Amino acid sequence: GENVEQHPSTLSVQEGDSAVIKCTYSDSASNYFPWYKQELGKRPQLIIDIRSNVGEKKDQRIAVTLNKTAKHFSLHITETQPEDSAVYFCAAETGANNLFFGTGTRLTVIP
Amino acid sequence: DTAVSQTPKYLVTQMGNDKSIKCEQNLGHDTMYWYKQDSKKFLKIMFSYNNKELIINETVPNRFSPKSPDKAHLNLHINSLELGDSAVYFCASSRGGPGELFFGEGSRLTVL
């Protein structure tokens, strides 16, 4: 099955700085790569996703990049704010509704 | 309106007991899931149901059994609870195929 690795496990940045979270996956058949944000005590919620036919996607302060050859994808958050503090999960889907999550990154934005 | 709702939100029980967690979605989605999130925050898929058919079962002990009376419901039954079953269990739904998962609020199970 798919194996998704995520780094770093924790990340602290100063408010206004950028944050980058990286993931790798093992199954070359994976074709959908979402990112979820989970605030303390809350449910995971989708913040951005990218499909295999696209190399980069941006939504305001959030961007994702995908390198299918190297099997890695990244989340970039610019101009971080305290409300960005949360646990972020990457995921990869191979099809058949089979979504595998990375191990999560706890992001702390220091005011 | 709550899109994906699950009950109970908290469940404390003794080892060896049998318990159920219910999940309902009003989004008209075709596929529903159960995920387990342990104390380290790892999210692992347990089951998914598409049109009442189980299509994923990721090395979950057979003490866990999903039951789907209809497309809008996927309940989780757990027999002979063990300490290691303590976790937050999330129900989710999607339209099917690669796309957004909509999660419920989670059910925190504590086994004493």
Side-chain angles (χ1 to χ4, degrees), chain A residues 4-54:
Chain A
V4 180
E5 295 189 358
Q6 181 171 349
H7 301 280
S9 56
T10 60
L11 178 60
S12 293
V13 299
Q14 292 288 334
E15 182 177 357
D17 287 351
S18 295
V20 179
I21 302 171
K22 298 183 178 182
C23 288
T24 60
Y25 61 97
S26 60
D27 192 338
S28 57
S30 291
N31 53 18
Y32 174 66
F33 307 91
W35 287 86
Y36 284 78
K37 175 183 180 183
Q38 186 178 25
E39 297 178 355
L40 188 62
K42 301 285 183 67
R43 73 190 84 188
Q45 291 189 291
L46 180 73
I47 55 171
I48 195 166
D49 57 13
I50 191 167
R51 297 180 189 270
S52 58
N53 58 345
V54 176

Coordinates of all heavy atoms in Angstrom, one line a residue, chain A residues 4-54:
Chain A
V4 N 3.2 7.3 3.2 CA 3.4 8.8 3.1 C 4.3 9.2 4.3 O 3.9 9.0 5.4 CB 2.1 9.5 3.1 CG1 2.3 11.0 3.0 CG2 1.2 9.1 1.9
E5 N 5.4 9.8 4.0 CA 6.2 10.4 5.1 C 6.2 11.9 5.1 O 6.1 12.5 4.0 CB 7.7 9.9 4.9 CG 7.8 8.4 5.0 CD 9.3 7.9 5.0 OE1 10.2 8.8 4.9 OE2 9.5 6.7 5.2
Q6 N 6.2 12.5 6.2 CA 6.0 13.9 6.4 C 7.0 14.5 7.3 O 7.3 13.9 8.4 CB 4.6 14.2 6.9 CG 4.2 15.6 7.1 CD 2.8 15.9 7.4 OE1 2.0 14.9 7.3 NE2 2.4 17.1 7.8
H7 N 7.6 15.6 6.9 CA 8.6 16.3 7.8 C 8.5 17.8 7.7 O 8.1 18.3 6.6 CB 10.0 15.9 7.3 CG 10.3 14.4 7.3 ND1 10.6 13.8 8.4 CD2 10.2 13.5 6.3 CE1 10.8 12.5 8.2 NE2 10.5 12.3 6.9
P8 N 8.8 18.5 8.7 CA 9.2 18.0 10.0 C 8.0 17.6 10.9 O 6.8 17.9 10.5 CB 9.9 19.2 10.7 CG 9.2 20.4 10.1 CD 8.8 20.0 8.7
S9 N 8.2 17.0 12.0 CA 7.0 16.7 12.9 C 6.6 17.9 13.7 O 5.4 18.0 14.0 CB 7.4 15.5 13.8 OG 8.6 15.9 14.6
T10 N 7.5 18.8 14.0 CA 7.2 20.0 14.6 C 7.9 21.2 13.9 O 9.0 21.0 13.4 CB 7.5 20.1 16.1 OG1 8.9 19.9 16.3 CG2 6.8 19.0 16.9
L11 N 7.3 22.4 13.9 CA 7.8 23.5 13.2 C 7.4 24.8 14.0 O 6.2 25.0 14.2 CB 7.4 23.5 11.8 CG 7.8 24.7 10.9 CD1 9.4 24.7 10.8 CD2 7.2 24.5 9.5
S12 N 8.3 25.6 14.4 CA 8.0 26.9 15.0 C 8.6 28.0 14.1 O 9.7 27.9 13.7 CB 8.6 26.9 16.4 OG 8.0 26.0 17.3
V13 N 7.7 29.0 13.9 CA 8.2 30.1 13.1 C 7.7 31.4 13.7 O 6.7 31.4 14.5 CB 7.6 30.0 11.6 CG1 8.2 28.8 10.9 CG2 6.1 30.1 11.6
Q14 N 8.4 32.5 13.4 CA 7.9 33.8 13.9 C 6.8 34.3 13.0 O 6.8 34.0 11.8 CB 9.1 34.8 13.9 CG 10.2 34.5 14.9 CD 9.8 34.8 16.3 OE1 8.9 35.6 16.6 NE2 10.4 34.1 17.3
E15 N 5.9 35.0 13.6 CA 4.8 35.5 12.8 C 5.3 36.4 11.7 O 6.3 37.2 11.8 CB 3.9 36.4 13.7 CG 2.7 37.0 13.0 CD 1.8 37.8 14.0 OE1 2.1 37.9 15.2 OE2 0.8 38.4 13.5
G16 N 4.7 36.1 10.5 CA 5.2 36.8 9.3 C 6.2 36.1 8.5 O 6.4 36.4 7.3
D17 N 6.8 35.1 9.1 CA 7.8 34.2 8.3 C 7.0 33.2 7.5 O 5.8 33.0 7.7 CB 8.8 33.6 9.3 CG 9.8 34.5 9.8 OD1 9.8 35.7 9.3 OD2 10.5 34.1 10.7
S18 N 7.8 32.5 6.7 CA 7.2 31.4 5.9 C 7.4 30.1 6.6 O 8.3 29.9 7.4 CB 7.8 31.4 4.5 OG 7.5 32.5 3.8
A19 N 6.5 29.1 6.3 CA 6.6 27.7 6.8 C 6.5 26.8 5.6 O 5.7 27.0 4.7 CB 5.5 27.5 7.8
V20 N 7.3 25.8 5.6 CA 7.3 24.8 4.6 C 7.2 23.4 5.2 O 8.0 23.1 6.1 CB 8.6 24.9 3.7 CG1 8.5 23.8 2.6 CG2 8.7 26.2 3.1
I21 N 6.3 22.6 4.7 CA 6.2 21.2 5.2 C 6.3 20.3 3.9 O 5.7 20.6 2.9 CB 4.8 21.0 5.8 CG1 4.6 21.9 7.0 CG2 4.7 19.5 6.3 CD1 3.2 22.0 7.6
K22 N 7.1 19.2 4.1 CA 7.4 18.4 3.0 C 6.9 16.9 3.2 O 6.9 16.4 4.3 CB 8.9 18.3 2.7 CG 9.4 19.7 2.4 CD 10.9 19.6 2.0 CE 11.4 21.0 1.7 NZ 12.9 21.0 1.3
C23 N 6.4 16.3 2.1 CA 5.9 14.9 2.1 C 6.5 14.2 1.0 O 6.7 14.7 -0.1 CB 4.4 14.9 2.1 SG 3.7 15.5 3.7
T24 N 6.7 12.9 1.2 CA 7.0 12.0 0.1 C 6.0 10.8 0.1 O 5.5 10.5 1.2 CB 8.5 11.4 0.3 OG1 8.6 10.7 1.5 CG2 9.5 12.5 0.2
Y25 N 5.9 10.2 -1.0 CA 5.0 9.1 -1.1 C 5.6 8.0 -1.9 O 6.6 8.2 -2.6 CB 3.6 9.5 -1.8 CG 3.7 10.0 -3.2 CD1 3.4 9.2 -4.3 CD2 4.0 11.4 -3.4 CE1 3.5 9.7 -5.6 CE2 4.1 11.9 -4.7 CZ 3.8 11.0 -5.8 OH 3.8 11.5 -7.1
S26 N 5.1 6.8 -1.8 CA 5.8 5.6 -2.4 C 5.1 5.1 -3.7 O 5.8 4.5 -4.5 CB 5.9 4.5 -1.4 OG 4.6 4.1 -0.9
D27 N 3.8 5.2 -3.8 CA 3.0 4.6 -4.8 C 2.9 5.6 -6.0 O 2.3 6.6 -5.9 CB 1.6 4.2 -4.3 CG 0.9 3.3 -5.3 OD1 1.3 3.3 -6.5 OD2 0.0 2.6 -4.9
S28 N 3.5 5.2 -7.1 CA 3.5 6.1 -8.3 C 2.1 6.2 -8.9 O 1.9 7.1 -9.7 CB 4.5 5.5 -9.4 OG 4.1 4.2 -9.7
A29 N 1.2 5.3 -8.5 CA -0.2 5.4 -9.0 C -1.0 6.5 -8.2 O -2.1 6.9 -8.7 CB -0.9 4.1 -8.8
S30 N -0.4 7.1 -7.2 CA -1.1 8.2 -6.4 C -1.3 9.3 -7.4 O -0.4 9.7 -8.1 CB -0.4 8.6 -5.2 OG -0.4 7.5 -4.2
N31 N -2.5 9.9 -7.3 CA -2.8 11.0 -8.3 C -3.6 12.2 -7.6 O -4.0 13.1 -8.3 CB -3.7 10.4 -9.4 CG -4.9 9.7 -8.9 OD1 -5.3 9.9 -7.8 ND2 -5.5 8.9 -9.8
Y32 N -3.7 12.1 -6.3 CA -4.4 13.2 -5.7 C -3.8 13.5 -4.3 O -3.5 12.5 -3.6 CB -5.9 12.8 -5.5 CG -6.7 13.8 -4.7 CD1 -7.0 15.1 -5.1 CD2 -7.2 13.5 -3.4 CE1 -7.7 16.0 -4.4 CE2 -8.0 14.4 -2.7 CZ -8.2 15.7 -3.2 OH -8.9 16.5 -2.4
F33 N -3.4 14.7 -4.0 CA -2.6 15.1 -2.9 C -3.2 16.2 -2.1 O -3.0 17.4 -2.4 CB -1.2 15.4 -3.3 CG -0.6 14.3 -4.2 CD1 -0.7 14.4 -5.6 CD2 0.1 13.2 -3.6 CE1 -0.2 13.4 -6.4 CE2 0.6 12.2 -4.4 CZ 0.4 12.3 -5.8
P34 N -4.0 16.0 -1.1 CA -4.7 17.0 -0.3 C -3.9 17.3 0.9 O -3.0 16.5 1.4 CB -6.0 16.4 0.1 CG -5.7 14.9 0.2 CD -4.6 14.7 -0.8
W35 N -4.1 18.5 1.5 CA -3.5 18.9 2.8 C -4.7 19.3 3.7 O -5.6 20.0 3.3 CB -2.6 20.1 2.6 CG -1.3 19.8 1.9 CD1 -1.1 19.8 0.6 CD2 -0.1 19.5 2.6 NE1 0.3 19.4 0.4 CE2 0.9 19.2 1.6 CE3 0.3 19.4 3.9 CZ2 2.2 18.9 1.9 CZ3 1.6 19.1 4.2 CH2 2.6 18.8 3.2
Y36 N -4.6 18.8 4.9 CA -5.6 19.1 5.9 C -5.0 19.8 7.1 O -3.9 19.5 7.5 CB -6.3 17.7 6.4 CG -7.2 17.2 5.4 CD1 -6.8 16.5 4.3 CD2 -8.6 17.3 5.5 CE1 -7.7 15.9 3.4 CE2 -9.5 16.8 4.6 CZ -9.0 16.1 3.5 OH -9.9 15.6 2.6
K37 N -5.8 20.6 7.7 CA -5.4 21.4 8.9 C -6.3 20.9 10.0 O -7.5 20.9 9.9 CB -5.6 22.9 8.6 CG -5.3 23.8 9.9 CD -5.6 25.2 9.5 CE -5.3 26.2 10.7 NZ -5.7 27.6 10.4
Q38 N -5.7 20.6 11.2 CA -6.5 20.2 12.3 C -6.1 21.1 13.5 O -5.0 21.0 14.0 CB -6.2 18.7 12.7 CG -7.1 18.2 13.8 CD -7.0 16.8 14.1 OE1 -5.9 16.2 13.8 NE2 -8.0 16.1 14.6
E39 N -7.0 21.9 13.9 CA -6.8 22.8 15.1 C -7.1 21.9 16.3 O -7.8 20.9 16.3 CB -7.7 24.0 15.0 CG -7.4 24.9 13.8 CD -8.3 26.1 13.7 OE1 -9.3 26.2 14.5 OE2 -8.1 26.9 12.9
L40 N -6.6 22.4 17.4 CA -6.6 21.6 18.7 C -8.1 21.3 19.0 O -9.0 22.1 19.1 CB -6.0 22.4 19.8 CG -5.9 21.7 21.1 CD1 -4.9 20.5 21.0 CD2 -5.3 22.6 22.2
G41 N -8.3 20.0 19.2 CA -9.7 19.5 19.6 C -10.7 19.6 18.5 O -11.9 19.3 18.7
K42 N -10.3 19.9 17.2 CA -11.2 20.0 16.1 C -11.0 18.9 15.1 O -10.1 18.1 15.2 CB -11.1 21.4 15.5 CG -11.3 22.5 16.4 CD -12.7 22.8 16.7 CE -12.9 24.0 17.5 NZ -12.6 25.2 16.8
R43 N -11.9 18.9 14.1 CA -11.8 17.9 13.0 C -10.8 18.4 12.0 O -10.6 19.6 11.8 CB -13.1 17.7 12.4 CG -13.6 18.9 11.5 CD -15.0 18.8 11.1 NE -15.9 19.3 12.1 CZ -17.3 19.2 12.0 NH1 -17.8 18.5 11.1 NH2 -18.0 19.7 13.0
P44 N -10.2 17.4 11.2 CA -9.3 17.8 10.1 C -10.2 18.5 9.0 O -11.3 18.0 8.8 CB -8.7 16.5 9.6 CG -8.9 15.6 10.8 CD -10.2 16.0 11.5
Q45 N -9.7 19.5 8.4 CA -10.4 20.2 7.3 C -9.4 20.5 6.2 O -8.3 20.9 6.4 CB -11.0 21.5 7.8 CG -12.1 21.3 8.8 CD -12.9 22.6 9.1 OE1 -12.3 23.5 9.8 NE2 -14.1 22.7 8.7
L46 N -9.9 20.3 5.0 CA -9.1 20.5 3.8 C -8.8 21.9 3.6 O -9.7 22.8 3.7 CB -9.9 20.0 2.6 CG -9.2 20.1 1.2 CD1 -8.1 19.1 1.1 CD2 -10.2 20.0 0.1
I47 N -7.5 22.2 3.3 CA -7.1 23.6 3.1 C -6.7 23.8 1.6 O -6.9 24.9 1.1 CB -6.0 24.1 4.0 CG1 -4.8 23.2 4.0 CG2 -6.6 24.2 5.4 CD1 -3.6 23.7 4.7
I48 N -6.2 22.8 1.0 CA -5.8 22.9 -0.4 C -5.5 21.5 -0.9 O -5.1 20.6 -0.1 CB -4.5 23.9 -0.6 CG1 -4.4 24.3 -2.0 CG2 -3.3 23.2 0.0 CD1 -3.4 25.4 -2.2
D49 N -5.6 21.3 -2.2 CA -5.3 20.0 -2.8 C -4.7 20.2 -4.2 O -4.8 21.3 -4.8 CB -6.5 19.1 -2.8 CG -7.6 19.6 -3.6 OD1 -7.5 20.7 -4.3 OD2 -8.7 19.1 -3.5
I50 N -4.0 19.2 -4.7 CA -3.4 19.3 -6.0 C -3.5 17.9 -6.6 O -3.4 16.9 -6.0 CB -1.9 19.7 -5.9 CG1 -1.4 20.1 -7.3 CG2 -1.1 18.7 -5.2 CD1 -0.1 20.8 -7.2
R51 N -3.8 17.9 -7.9 CA -3.9 16.6 -8.7 C -2.6 16.4 -9.5 O -1.9 17.4 -9.8 CB -5.2 16.6 -9.5 CG -6.4 16.7 -8.6 CD -7.7 16.7 -9.4 NE -8.8 17.0 -8.4 CZ -9.5 16.1 -7.7 NH1 -9.2 14.8 -7.9 NH2 -10.4 16.4 -6.9
S52 N -2.5 15.2 -10.0 CA -1.2 14.8 -10.5 C -0.9 15.5 -11.9 O 0.3 15.5 -12.3 CB -1.1 13.3 -10.7 OG -2.2 12.9 -11.5
N53 N -1.9 16.1 -12.5 CA -1.6 16.8 -13.8 C -1.2 18.3 -13.6 O -1.1 19.0 -14.6 CB -2.8 16.7 -14.6 CG -4.1 17.3 -14.0 OD1 -4.1 17.6 -12.8 ND2 -5.1 17.6 -14.8
V54 N -1.0 18.7 -12.3 CA -0.6 20.0 -12.0 C 0.7 20.0 -11.2 O 0.8 19.2 -10.3 CB -1.7 20.8 -11.3 CG1 -1.3 22.2 -10.9 CG2 -3.0 20.8 -12.1

